[in-house]
Amino acid sequence: MKAQPGMHEGSPIAHYYRANDPEWHWLEARDAPDVNQFLKAANREHANWFAPLLPLAETLYQSHLARRELAVKSLKTALDHFTFWSDTAAEDDYPCWWRHPNDQPDAHECFLDVRDRAADQPFYDMGDMALSPNEQWLAWTEDTQGDERFTLWLKALPDGKPQQLLSDIGAGICWAEDETTGGATLLFTRFDDTQRPDSIWRVWISFSAPERFTEPTLVMRENDQEFWLGIGKTRSKAWLFIESGSKDTTEIHALPAAQPDATPMCLHARQPGVEVSIDHRPGAFYRLQNAAGPHFQLDYISDAHHRDTTTHWQPLIAHREDTTLEGVDAFAWGLIVAERSHRDAQVLLRRLVLDKDHTPTLDKHIELPETPCSQLLEDSPHFDAKSVQLREESLTRPPHWYSLDLESGERKLLKQVPVYGQLSPEQLTSRRIWATSVDGEQIPVSVVMRADLADQPLPTLLYGYGAYGEALDPWFSIARLELLERGAAFAVAHVRGGGERGEPWYLNGKMAHKENSFHDFLAARDALVETGISQHQRIVACGASAGGMLVGTCVNRAPDAFCAAVLDVPFLDVLRTMLNPELPLTTAEYSEWGNPEDPEVAERIRDYSPLDNIRPQRYPALWIEGSWFDTRVSYWEPAKFYARVTQAQQGDSPVLLHTDMSSGHGGASGRFKAWRDTARQDAFILWALGLAPISKTNQQQ
C-alpha cells in the first residue's frame, strides 16, 4: 500500500496522526501536551524547508528598512490646553508620546514611553488612550498576551506613576465630561464568557487617590448574544453614545456627557436589519439609516424632539440607487459625509455647510488627487475647526496628509511618507480592470506594477478579502515594493462581500450569497490572465482571516489556478466553529454566515467551508500562518487544515504551517518583528513565482 503524502518518517503528520480522529479535532485541546509539541514540530519542519530562503528573507528585510524612514513623528494635534504627538526613534519598535503647552512649543515633555511599557514583553498592544477633559490625566488599555483582553492603567501627567486599575476589560475607554477638581468618570466595556463586549461600566476616579477608585457601576448590559456594546463621545462633547450592534442591526442610547450617571436615553431602537450611525451638533442629531433603502439615507432631528425619535426625523440626503452613504462627521459649521460611488467603487467626501434651519448653504465634494484612491478624514478633535486634515494615498502614491482650509479652500501639505531606494512611486503604474463573474456581474480588480513592465504578462500576487462589508480601498505599501521591483504585479480582487461598491456589494456576498465571493475571486484571476497582465502559471493567492477562508475555498475548488497560496490566520473550519456558540465571536457572526443549527444553513456552509472540502488532489504550495493566542481564529483551524491537506496532497508542492506562539490575530506587535514576518512571507511568494534566486525545483528537493 502506498503511504499517504506527508506520512513519511519524521513528518509531524506521521508522528501525531491518530487513526481514531482523522479530522484532527484533538488539536482543539489547548492544554494537552501533544498539541504544543505538534505545533512546534510543524514549526521546525517549516524552518527546515525555509532554510535556503533565509538569505533572501534577510535581503528583503534589510531592503525594506532601507526604503523607509525609520524615525517617525506623527502629526501634532492641538487640544484645548496642550499639543500632543508621538515620536518613534529609528531603532525602536514603539513610540514615546509627547506634549507641550499650546503657547510654549519649546516646553515639550515625554508623558508616556511605550518602549518602557513593552520592555520584556513578548507581545504588547496598546488598545486605547484617553486624556481627561483637563488633559492632566491619561488612561490607557494594554494587552501583553495577544488575546485581546486588556488591562486599564492611569497616570497623572506628565510623570506620575502608572497605576493599574482594572484587568480583563475591552480595549475602548472614554472619559465623561463631569470632571471636577476631585476627579472624573471613566467608562469602559467588559466581556462575557465568549469574549463578547456585553456591558458598559463607569467608574469614578479620584485624582487625589486614584488607587482607591470606586467600585465600577453597570451602565448597560446587552443580553442578546448577537450584539456587541461600544461607547463613544461626540465631537461636540455634549453626548456619550452607547451603541449596541450586530452585523446588521443597531440600537443607540445616549447619555449627557456631563451626567454619566443619568438613565440612558434611546435615540434609535433596534429594528431587525436596520443599521444606523448618529452624530450631534448643538440643536440637532444626524442619523444615517438604511430603513429607507439599503444604501442609507441621512436624516436629522432637532434637540427639542430628541425624546421622541420615532416620528420627527427629517430627510437631509435622500436614499439613492447609485451611492451608499458610509459615514457622517458633525462640526459646528455642518457635516462631512462619506459617500461611495457604486459605479466607480470610489469614496468621496462631501462637505455640507448648514444654516440654522439645516438648509445647505454649500454642498460640494472635496477634490480627489486621482482615481481610484483613498481619501480619509483624519481625526479632527475640535468641533468648531475651520480646517480639517485629510489623508490621501493610492497604489502608486504614498500617504500624504493635508490641511484643508474650509473657508479659502487652500490645501497645505503637512506630511508625506518618504520612499527611498531604486524603485520610486513615480516608476509605478496602476490600473483597474473588470472581471466578469459567472452571473455576469462586473468585478473590479485593482493592479499595480512597474511601468516599464506593464506591456507583458507578469508573475502576480492576487489578494482578496471580501467580508463584513469592509472595502479594500487603494493603499500604498513600502514592503510591496520588494515584490514589484523584482518583476511581480500586485492585484486586489474586490469581490462581493466587501464594501467596495457600496452596501449592495456586501449584501450580495454574505449569507446565502456567499458563493458569489468565490466565483468573483476566480473570475478576477482569469481576467488577469485574459487581459495579458498575469502569467497563468505564476499567480499566488493571498488572504488573511476571512480572506484566508476565501483563498482556502478557491484553492480547494481550483488548485491549478494558483502556483501557491498564502493563508494568514485563516478562518477555515467555518461549519464547526459556527456550531460552537461558546467560542468567541460565533454568535455575533450568525448574521454574516448564518446559524448552522438550521439544516439548510449548515449544508450551505458545508459546501464552501475549506476544512470540509479537502480532497485528494494536487494542491499548490501552501504557506499557512496561525497564532497561539488568537481569539478570533483559533490556532487549531490553520493547524487542522495543514494536517489534512498534507495527507490529501497528490503533488510534490510543500504544505507549510507556522504558528506564532507569542501573538494573537494581528500578528507580531513590534514593528521590526512584523516586518521580518512580512519579509519571510514575501520570500516564499517570490520563490513560488519563480522570482527567487533559488529555483522551485531545488527547493522541493
Side-chain angles (χ1 to χ4, degrees):
M1 180 178 176
K2 183 178 178 180
Q4 286 182 292
M7 300 295 277
H8 58 80
E9 185 178 355
S11 162
I13 307 304
H15 184 77
Y16 290 93
Y17 176 72
R18 298 180 181 180
N20 64 344
D21 187 4
E23 296 183 330
W24 295 78
H25 293 323
W26 65 269
L27 286 171
E28 298 176 12
R30 183 186 187 92
D31 296 329
D34 274 3
V35 171
N36 195 275
Q37 293 165 10
F38 170 79
L39 297 177
K40 290 181 177 179
N43 281 357
R44 288 192 297 270
E45 178 190 54
H46 179 281
N48 290 337
W49 181 92
F50 191 76
L53 289 174
L54 280 173
L56 174 59
E58 182 64 22
T59 297
L60 293 171
Y61 173 70
Q62 295 298 336
S63 180
H64 174 96
L65 297 185
R67 291 185 191 275
R68 68 166 55 246
E69 189 173 58
L70 295 176
V72 179
K73 180 180 292 186
S74 73
L75 291 176
K76 292 186 175 182
T77 299
L79 301 183
D80 293 336
H81 308 290
F82 289 85
T83 296
F84 296 85
W85 72 97
S86 66
D87 198 342
T88 305
E91 69 278 8
D92 291 334
D93 273 316
Y94 302 95
C96 292
W97 282 90
W98 295 77
R99 72 173 190 173
H100 67 67
N102 287 341
D103 57 351
Q104 301 178 53
D106 293 333
H108 48 78
E109 55 195 0
C110 176
F111 63 87
L112 184 65
D113 191 335
V114 185
R115 299 170 305 177
D116 288 345
R117 304 298 306 171
D120 303 321
Q121 300 285 358
F123 181 93
Y124 182 87
D125 179 39
M126 180 172 286
D128 195 10
M129 294 173 59
L131 288 159
S132 64
N134 69 0
E135 302 170 27
Q136 295 294 340
W137 288 82
L138 178 73
W140 73 95
T141 55
E142 58 187 30
D143 170 15
T144 56
Q145 185 161 278
D147 60 359
E148 300 182 55
R149 292 184 178 272
F150 291 82
T151 301
L152 174 64
W153 292 81
L154 180 77
K155 68 173 290 187
L157 299 185
D159 52 8
K161 181 181 178 181
Q163 300 184 57
Q164 180 178 327
L165 300 187
L166 297 165
S167 60
D168 199 17
I169 69 169
I173 49 179
C174 181
W175 290 96
E177 292 289 322
D178 64 339
E179 185 176 73
T180 67
T181 56
T185 298
L186 188 69
L187 295 99
F188 62 94
T189 59
R190 276 180 167 158
F191 301 116
D192 66 6
D193 292 339
T194 65
Q195 205 167 344
R196 176 182 64 96
D198 74 326
S199 54
I200 302 291
W201 300 74
R202 70 172 188 268
V203 59
W204 173 263
I205 296 176
S206 168
F207 292 157
S208 60
E211 71 280 0
R212 295 197 296 272
F213 59 90
T214 63
E215 185 70 20
T217 300
L218 178 67
V219 177
M220 181 175 292
R221 187 181 300 278
E222 175 56 70
N223 293 317
D224 190 321
Q225 293 188 339
E226 292 191 37
F227 284 75
W228 290 22
L229 285 179
I231 181 76
K233 184 164 53 179
T234 62
R235 185 179 282 107
S236 67
K237 297 184 180 180
W239 295 92
L240 300 168
F241 285 163
I242 298 174
E243 179 176 314
S244 181
S246 69
K247 295 293 182 180
D248 63 1
T249 302
T250 316
E251 181 171 279
I252 295 182
H253 290 77
L255 288 168
Q259 300 174 286
D261 56 347
T263 301
M265 171 186 67
C266 185
L267 278 183
H268 178 86
R270 72 188 63 182
Q271 304 170 44
V274 175
E275 299 175 80
V276 302
S277 62
I278 295 180
D279 207 341
H280 172 261
R281 294 172 64 230
F285 291 96
Y286 298 87
R287 177 185 69 175
L288 286 181
Q289 50 86 6
N290 63 350
H295 313 147
F296 290 84
Q297 175 170 299
L298 178 61
D299 304 325
Y300 71 93
I301 190 172
S302 70
D303 277 350
H305 297 112
H306 71 255
R307 293 190 178 278
D308 180 10
T309 59
T310 58
T311 59
H312 289 88
W313 289 100
Q314 301 294 318
L316 186 61
I317 299 178
H319 176 268
R320 289 167 289 168
E321 290 298 330
D322 60 351
T323 303
T324 291
L325 302 182
E326 292 191 339
V328 58
D329 282 271
F331 294 86
W333 44 262
L335 309 172
I336 290 182
V337 180
E339 303 183 331
R340 182 174 294 275
S341 164
H342 299 173
R343 183 192 65 187
D344 300 325
Q346 173 67 57
V347 169
L348 302 169
L349 296 182
R350 180 176 174 182
R351 180 183 168 216
L352 286 85
V353 178
L354 303 174
D355 65 16
K356 60 182 179 62
D357 297 318
H358 307 286
T359 301
T361 60
L362 183 146
D363 185 351
K364 64 182 296 185
H365 289 102
I366 296 175
E367 184 179 352
L368 293 171
E370 61 180 290
T371 56
C373 77
S374 296
Q375 185 184 70
L376 304 173
L377 179 67
E378 285 284 83
D379 184 33
S380 299
H382 288 293
F383 181 65
D384 58 354
K386 296 298 190 295
S387 66
V388 294
Q389 291 182 3
L390 305 174
R391 172 181 167 136
E392 298 172 349
E393 66 182 304
S394 71
L395 292 173
T396 61
R397 176 186 174 90
H400 288 59
W401 287 265
Y402 293 92
S403 174
L404 175 64
D405 188 298
L406 297 173
E407 294 180 347
S408 68
E410 178 185 0
R411 290 165 59 99
K412 179 182 177 182
L413 178 64
L414 302 175
K415 178 185 175 183
Q416 69 183 74
V417 172
V419 179
Y420 306 107
Q422 295 182 348
L423 184 63
S424 67
E426 292 75 21
Q427 294 172 291
L428 303 177
T429 185
S430 67
R431 65 184 66 167
R432 175 166 283 172
I433 66 171
W434 296 84
T436 303
S437 197
V438 294
D439 60 353
E441 183 62 79
Q442 295 297 293
I443 314 303
V445 184
S446 300
V447 190
V448 62
M449 67 201 82
R450 280 170 41 186
D452 62 327
L453 299 178
D455 61 348
Q456 57 188 287
L458 299 175
T460 301
L461 175 63
L462 176 61
Y463 187 84
Y465 184 61
Y468 307 113
E470 297 293 330
L472 293 178
D473 287 324
W475 77 99
F476 189 86
S477 166
I478 291 180
R480 187 190 302 145
L481 296 176
E482 299 301 322
L483 302 179
L484 302 182
E485 184 170 32
R486 288 165 173 80
F490 175 80
V492 181
H494 303 289
V495 305
R496 283 171 283 185
E500 288 85 348
R501 300 189 71 186
E503 191 70 5
W505 206 246
Y506 169 47
L507 298 176
N508 284 313
K510 64 177 290 191
M511 299 288 283
H513 305 293
K514 190 60 196 171
E515 283 290 332
N516 287 332
S517 299
F518 315 124
H519 294 312
D520 295 353
F521 191 74
L522 292 173
R525 181 265 177 209
D526 292 343
L528 289 167
V529 174
E530 292 162 2
T531 55
I533 292 173
S534 303
Q535 298 177 11
H536 76 282
Q537 292 181 327
R538 300 171 75 184
I539 301 177
V540 172
C542 180
S545 192
M549 182 262 284
L550 172 73
V551 170
T553 299
C554 291
V555 165
N556 276 335
R557 295 181 177 184
D560 294 336
F562 308 102
C563 62
V566 174
L567 300 94
D568 197 353
V569 289
F571 182 31
L572 299 167
D573 203 359
V574 185
L575 180 58
R576 186 173 173 86
T577 294
M578 295 305 298
L579 282 169
N580 187 350
E582 296 183 1
L583 289 174
L585 306 186
T586 291
T587 55
E589 300 281 271
Y590 285 156
S591 56
E592 183 70 30
W593 318 108
N595 185 344
E597 291 183 3
D598 180 334
E600 290 186 10
V601 174
E603 186 62 27
R604 183 177 76 225
I605 295 175
R606 186 181 292 109
D607 285 344
Y608 66 76
S609 175
L611 263 164
D612 291 293
N613 289 278
I614 296 168
R615 63 181 186 275
Q617 60 182 342
R618 293 180 64 90
Y619 279 90
L622 298 180
W623 177 282
I624 309 166
E625 295 269 7
S627 292
W628 179 244
F629 292 108
D630 195 338
T631 57
R632 296 175 181 264
V633 176
S634 300
Y635 70 87
W636 61 73
E637 296 201 28
K640 289 196 288 185
F641 190 76
Y642 152 74
R644 292 175 57 188
V645 171
T646 299
Q647 291 178 278
Q649 174 65 288
Q650 298 296 297
D652 54 8
S653 295
V655 179
L656 305 166
L657 170 70
H658 178 264
T659 305
D660 189 326
M661 304 303 290
S662 62
S663 70
H665 193 66
S669 55
R671 61 176 182 161
F672 288 100
K673 185 176 184 298
W675 291 338
R676 281 200 177 276
D677 289 348
T678 297
R680 291 169 63 86
Q681 192 175 100
D682 285 351
F684 169 81
I685 291 168
L686 288 170
W687 166 83
L689 292 174
L691 298 174
I694 179 172
S695 73
K696 292 181 68 174
T697 301
N698 291 340
Q699 180 68 15
Q700 288 164 355
Q701 293 174 347

